[in-house]
C-alpha cells in the first residue's frame, strides 16, 4: 500500500521523480522497485536465500567460500535484480545489525505492530497470523527474537556476504550474533527468575493465631524434623466476643 501511495504521489505536479525518464526506463524502474519491495515478504525469504546459495554453488563447486581474486568476477555473475532485492531485504531487517539498545527498541515496535494485527484478526474472528498473538507472543518475546536472528537474519546476511563480498560484512554478522547472545541472556535470566520458588511472608497481627511447631512421630531414637511455625490470620467477630464477655 505504501508503494502504491508513492506512485500515486508521483502523478502530482512537482512530485514526479521519474519525470525526466523516457517511457521505457520509467516502466523498467517502476517494475524494478516493485520487485525489490515484494522481495521483503517473509513468505519468500527462504526461497531467496536458496537462490543466493545456488549462485554460490554454481560459481564455486569445489570451494564455497568466495574470496581473493575470484570475488570480483563472482559479483558480476550475480543477476542485478537479485543483488538489488537482497540489499532491500537486508535493509528491511537492518535493525538486527545495530547496537542492542536500538535493536531492542525496533524489535519492540515491530512486535507491537504484529500484536495489533493479531488483535484486529481476533476481533473479526479470523485466524491469527504467526507471531501476532499477543496472548502468547509477550511471553515468548525473547525466544522469538532469537529465532528471528538465527533463522531469518543470519542465513540471509551470510549468503549475501558469500556472493557479494562487500567491505564490513563480517562486522555486520558479528553484531547480529552479539545481539542474539544478548537475547539468549535475557531469556536465561527470565527463565531462572520464573523457576525460583515463591516464599510466603506471614505478618503477625492482633488477630493472628499462632500454631506452634509440632514433632513428627518417628521411631525411638530417630531424629525427626520439626515443622515451621505458621501464622494464620483469623477474623474475629466483635459481637461474639462482647456477648461472651457479659
Amino acid at each position: 500500500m505504501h508503494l502504491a501511495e508513492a506512485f500515486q504521489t508521483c502523478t502530482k505536479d512537482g512530485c514526479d521523480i521519474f519525470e525526466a525518464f523516457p517511457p521505457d526506463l520509467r516502466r523498467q524502474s517502476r517494475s524494478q522497485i516493485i520487485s525489490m519491495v515484494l522481495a521483503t515478504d517473509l513468505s519468500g525469504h527462504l526461497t531467496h536465500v536458496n537462490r543466493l546459495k545456488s549462485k554460490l554453488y554454481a560459481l564455486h563447486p569445489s570451494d564455497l567460500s568466495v574470496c581473493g581474486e575470484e570475488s570480483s568476477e563472482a559479483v558480476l555473475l550475480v543477476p542485478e535484480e537479485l543483488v538489488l532485492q537482497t540489499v532491500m531485504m537486508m535493509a528491511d531487517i537492518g535493525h538486527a545489525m545495530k547496537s542492542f539498545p536500538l535493536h531492542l527498541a525496533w524489535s519492540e515496535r515491530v512486535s507491537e505492530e504484529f500484536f495489533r494485527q493479531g488483535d484486529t484478526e481476533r476481533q473479526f474472528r479470523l485466524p491469527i497470523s504467526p507471531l501476532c498473538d499477543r496472548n502468547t507472543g509477550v511471553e515468548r518475546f525473547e525466544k522469538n527474537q532469537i529465532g528471528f536472528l538465527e533463522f531469518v537474519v543470519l542465513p540471509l546476511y551470510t549468503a549475501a556476504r558469500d556472493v557479494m563480498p562487500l567491505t564490513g560484512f563480517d562486522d555486520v554478522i558479528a553484531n547480529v550474533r552479539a545481539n542474539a547472545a544478548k537475547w539468549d541472556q535475557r531469556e536465561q535470566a527470565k527463565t531462572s527468575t520464573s523457576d525460583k520458588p515463591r516464599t510466603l511472608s506471614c505478618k503477625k497481627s492482633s488477630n493472628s493465631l499462632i500454631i506452634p511447631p509440632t514433632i513428627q512421630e518417628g521411631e525411638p531414637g530417630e531424629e525427626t524434623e520439626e515443622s515451621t511455625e505458621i501464622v494464620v490470620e483469623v477474623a474475629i467477630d466483635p459481637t461474639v466476643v462482647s456477648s461472651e464477655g457479659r
Side-chain angles (χ1 to χ4, degrees):
M1 185 177 71
H2 298 115
L3 191 56
E5 289 291 336
F7 287 138
Q8 183 64 30
T9 302
C10 289
T11 62
K12 299 179 180 179
D13 293 338
C15 298
D16 189 0
I17 60 176
F18 306 105
E19 184 177 5
F21 286 20
D24 289 345
L25 182 57
R26 188 185 186 95
R27 285 192 296 270
Q28 179 184 353
S29 300
R30 179 187 175 93
S31 176
Q32 195 168 64
I33 292 173
I34 293 174
S35 171
M36 292 166 62
V37 173
L38 291 179
T40 62
D41 187 347
L42 285 180
S43 64
H45 186 88
L46 182 59
T47 300
H48 187 92
V49 172
N50 288 335
R51 285 184 64 195
L52 287 174
K53 291 181 178 180
S54 69
K55 299 300 178 184
L56 182 62
Y57 297 152
L59 291 171
H60 302 275
S62 60
D63 183 4
L64 299 184
S65 61
V66 180
C67 58
E69 298 178 356
E70 295 182 354
S71 61
S72 59
E73 298 178 3
V75 174
L76 296 177
L77 295 176
V78 177
E80 182 180 275
E81 183 181 19
L82 184 61
V83 174
L84 293 174
Q85 290 175 347
T86 302
V87 172
M88 177 64 77
M89 292 171 66
M90 290 190 295
D92 185 49
I93 55 178
H95 66 85
M97 72 174 93
K98 297 183 181 295
S99 63
F100 188 76
L102 288 175
H103 169 53
L104 171 62
W106 280 106
S107 297
E108 291 175 341
R109 291 168 182 169
V110 172
S111 294
E112 178 59 27
E113 179 183 348
F114 287 176
F115 292 156
R116 291 184 182 183
Q117 176 181 328
D119 294 342
T120 303
E121 291 170 341
R122 180 180 287 106
Q123 179 182 354
F124 288 96
R125 298 183 179 180
L126 298 173
I128 299 179
S129 302
L131 303 179
C132 294
D133 191 343
R134 188 185 298 272
N135 295 338
T136 59
V138 173
E139 183 64 26
R140 293 182 52 85
F141 180 60
E142 289 79 10
K143 289 183 178 179
N144 288 340
Q145 300 311 311
I146 295 172
F148 173 68
L149 295 181
E150 291 185 350
F151 300 110
V152 176
V153 178
L154 282 174
L156 174 65
Y157 279 37
T158 302
R161 176 199 60 187
D162 294 340
V163 177
M164 302 181 296
L166 303 177
T167 304
F169 249 126
D170 289 336
D171 293 336
V172 166
I173 293 176
N175 288 345
V176 175
R177 295 189 188 279
N179 286 337
K182 286 280 189 180
W183 285 117
D184 186 61
Q185 292 174 5
R186 291 168 68 97
E187 172 61 22
Q188 294 297 331
K190 182 178 179 180
T191 303
S192 62
T193 301
S194 62
D195 289 343
K196 286 183 178 179
R198 296 183 178 181
T199 57
L200 298 177
S201 58
C202 299
K203 183 171 61 176
K204 293 184 179 181
S205 67
S206 57
N207 295 335
S208 296
L209 174 64
I210 301 179
I211 302 177
T214 57
I215 306 297
Q216 304 294 331
E217 294 184 358
E219 297 296 331
E222 180 182 354
E223 294 185 359
T224 56
E225 182 180 356
E226 294 185 353
S227 63
T228 57
E229 182 177 88
I230 303 175
V231 179
V232 180
E233 297 293 335
V234 180
I236 301 177
D237 189 344
T239 59
V240 175
V241 175
S242 60
S243 62
E244 290 180 350
R246 290 177 182 175

